[in-house]
Amino acid sequence: MTDSLTVRDNRTGQEYDVPIVDGAIKAADLGKIRTADDEPGLAVYDPGFVNTASCRSAVTFIDGDKGILEYRGYPIEQLAEKSTFLEVAYLLVHGELPTKAEYEAWVHEITFHTFVHENVKSFMEGFRYDAHPMGMLMASVGALSTFYPDAVHISDAENRHMQIVRMIAKMPTLGAWSFRHAQGKPFVYPDNELGYTANFLSMLFKMSEQNYVADPRIVKALDTLFILHADHEQNCSANAVRSVGSSQVDPYSSVAAGIGALYGPLHGGANEAVLRMLRRIGTKDKIPAFIEGVKAGEERLMGFGHRVYKNYDPRAKIIKKACDDVFEVTGVNPLLEIAQELERIALEDEYFVKRKLYPNVDFYSGLIYEALQFPPEMFTVLFAIGRTPGWLAQWNELVQDKEQKIARPKQIYTGERGLTFTPASERWA
Ligand SMILES: CC(C)(COP(=O)(O)OP(=O)(O)OC[C@H]1O[C@@H](n2cnc3c(N)ncnc32)[C@H](O)[C@@H]1OP(=O)(O)O)[C@@H](O)C(=O)NCCC(=O)NCCS
């Protein structure tokens, strides 16, 4: 067996051997296929990058058919159960698990960079009273580049480390303040005595008490949700971070682009749609009629199906378990019963079985967030905080990858050519 592809161009009758490496061919090799020396080479048309690898990456592995997700080779199930978000962040960014000393230094660094410049606070106060927290987060992260102009030195590894620490540390502060702003509540400063996730909860919910003490079960559940969202290989926002980062801009600007991508309903917003759907169904007896509507193509069962997973999304299984822990503290979200019954019926139904439609990460996460008193606008902010180490790991890999170039896709031009311009004064005369 030869690891190559033989292509015969029927326009010219010429044959080409294209090497196959790691299950892929290089698009540039296809570019050598042309009808004449002065004609453009063969291009690949792939809107949405459905079958185009944009990079080599050692960060995250997904096997969608088998329902496998691994960060740096470690299965998500083990990390969610036995690790912490900051340890997972270290793993994603550095590529391996920390020693005790490395972990303690990492936690210390992150903890002591949670504060932001007072001017950041002032400009966040300047947003409209009803500003969407995700818009505030995106703008604030982008603005951090003006506070750390040294971040442009992206080829300096120490400098990159500094910005990575800053961003992971400050994201909960900016996220919590975006939340408090809409409520007209004063911003709460970070409490460096608390762990990462407990501190985030304190900045979200503290009022006049001296210290805000979150229930440890809630802290653990939210920490687990951050782990589950920490990376997902070349998704829309990771691609945005890489694409913008390929211009060699500073990482704050790149991550702000990732937040913009995540803001969109096709990426970060499905869990909110699940809640709306469950509320609309209302009672268990209405489920069969709802399922019939879905099968008839009238609407989609939100939180089901995935572009990559054609099996149970491994993250959905873990979230289901986190639901139990959270509801033990907050009381059961009444929508849970409807969700569970909906899942049971759908998983037995031929329509969903045949199309390999299983619950995805969003099917249960909204129920938890709602039980924790988050308004739907905050759901994507939580996602962004969890995803930050993943974005930074992808960015850090990109800037060190010698094969990478500025992202600049080809197009297939469909417009006019060679028209003659008539000045407005003549056209409108
Ligand atoms: C995630 C999603 C966009 C993936 O889409 P995709 O990979 O492009 O899959 P397709 O849209 O090609 O769907 C394949 C088939 O399954 C059906 N299907 C996919 N998701 C469905 C859903 N949630 N409910 C009902 N039918 C669904 C499609 O109608 C199609 O059926 P057909 O072959 O009879 O036309 C899609 O599953 C979806 O819209 N899910 C609901 C939204 C959601 O939960 N998003 C969060 C993703 S993390």
Side-chain angles (χ1 to χ4, degrees), residues 109-144:
E109 271 187 306
I110 302 247
T111 306
F112 283 84
H113 281 92
T114 48
F115 278 73
V116 292
H117 193 290
E118 279 294 292
N119 286 2
V120 173
K121 189 175 151 208
S122 321
F123 84 70
M124 287 186 80
E125 282 165 349
F127 279 96
R128 242 179 75 136
Y129 68 97
D130 58 352
H132 195 293
M134 197 63 170
M136 287 181 71
L137 184 70
M138 175 168 55
S140 315
V141 170
L144 286 184

Side-chain angles (χ1 to χ4, degrees), residues 97-296:
L97 290 170
T99 61
K100 186 164 186 285
E102 285 166 342
Y103 181 66
E104 284 169 1
W106 173 248
V107 171
H108 180 84
E109 271 187 306
I110 302 247
T111 306
F112 283 84
H113 281 92
T114 48
F115 278 73
V116 292
H117 193 290
E118 279 294 292
N119 286 2
V120 173
K121 189 175 151 208
S122 321
F123 84 70
M124 287 186 80
E125 282 165 349
F127 279 96
R128 242 179 75 136
Y129 68 97
D130 58 352
H132 195 293
M134 197 63 170
M136 287 181 71
L137 184 70
M138 175 168 55
S140 315
V141 170
L144 286 184
S145 70
T146 67
F147 289 83
Y148 306 110
D150 58 319
V152 293
H153 302 300
I154 59 164
S155 45
D156 173 353
E158 232 173 86
N159 191 298
R160 285 201 305 273
H161 176 80
M162 189 69 250
Q163 315 314 330
I164 288 171
V165 166
R166 281 179 175 148
M167 232 177 303
I168 295 174
K170 294 180 198 315
M171 203 61 92
T173 312
L174 300 175
W177 289 5
S178 306
F179 171 73
R180 301 276 294 200
H181 179 74
Q183 303 186 329
K185 290 180 181 159
F187 295 164
V188 176
Y189 285 103
D191 180 346
N192 288 353
E193 299 301 310
L194 298 174
Y196 188 85
T197 304
N199 172 49
F200 176 51
L201 287 163
S202 161
M203 289 188 290
L204 287 164
F205 298 122
K206 185 169 182 289
M207 289 307 288
S208 62
E209 63 271 48
Q210 190 68 22
N211 295 307
Y212 179 87
V213 184
D215 189 297
R217 289 166 293 181
I218 300 283
V219 176
K220 171 71 189 141
L222 194 54
D223 205 71
T224 306
L225 282 157
F226 285 156
I227 293 175
L228 297 183
H229 287 91
D231 197 48
H232 214 224
E233 52 118 304
Q234 306 313 313
N235 55 84
C236 179
S237 58
N239 183 60
V241 169
R242 278 180 175 267
S243 187
V244 171
S246 75
S247 73
Q248 301 191 349
V249 72
D250 68 89
Y252 299 98
S253 304
S254 297
V255 169
I259 297 175
L262 189 63
Y263 199 171
L266 291 188
H267 193 353
N271 45 16
E272 190 186 338
V274 172
L275 285 185
R276 275 200 306 271
M277 173 189 78
L278 295 175
R279 211 161 267 132
R280 197 156 41 83
I281 296 172
T283 48
K284 283 206 283 188
D285 57 307
K286 306 241 177 65
I287 293 175
F290 172 79
I291 294 271
E292 285 315 309
V294 170
K295 285 158 64 175

Side-chain angles (χ1 to χ4, degrees), residues 363-395:
F363 194 65
Y364 287 105
S365 62
L367 289 173
I368 297 189
Y369 295 151
E370 190 172 72
L372 295 178
Q373 312 288 315
F374 287 113
E377 310 86 76
M378 271 302 282
F379 294 180
T380 31
V381 171
L382 300 170
F383 192 155
I385 294 171
R387 183 54 59 87
T388 301
W391 286 330
L392 292 167
Q394 299 282 346
W395 170 78

Side-chain angles (χ1 to χ4, degrees), residues 270 294 299-307 310 351-352 355 357 360-362:
V294 170
E299 59 184 309
R300 289 208 156 184
L301 172 51
M302 298 311 288
F304 260 65
H306 196 275
R307 171 60 63 78
K310 302 299 169 199
Y351 175 94
F352 298 92
R355 290 171 178 76
L357 299 170
N360 61 48
V361 69
D362 290 317

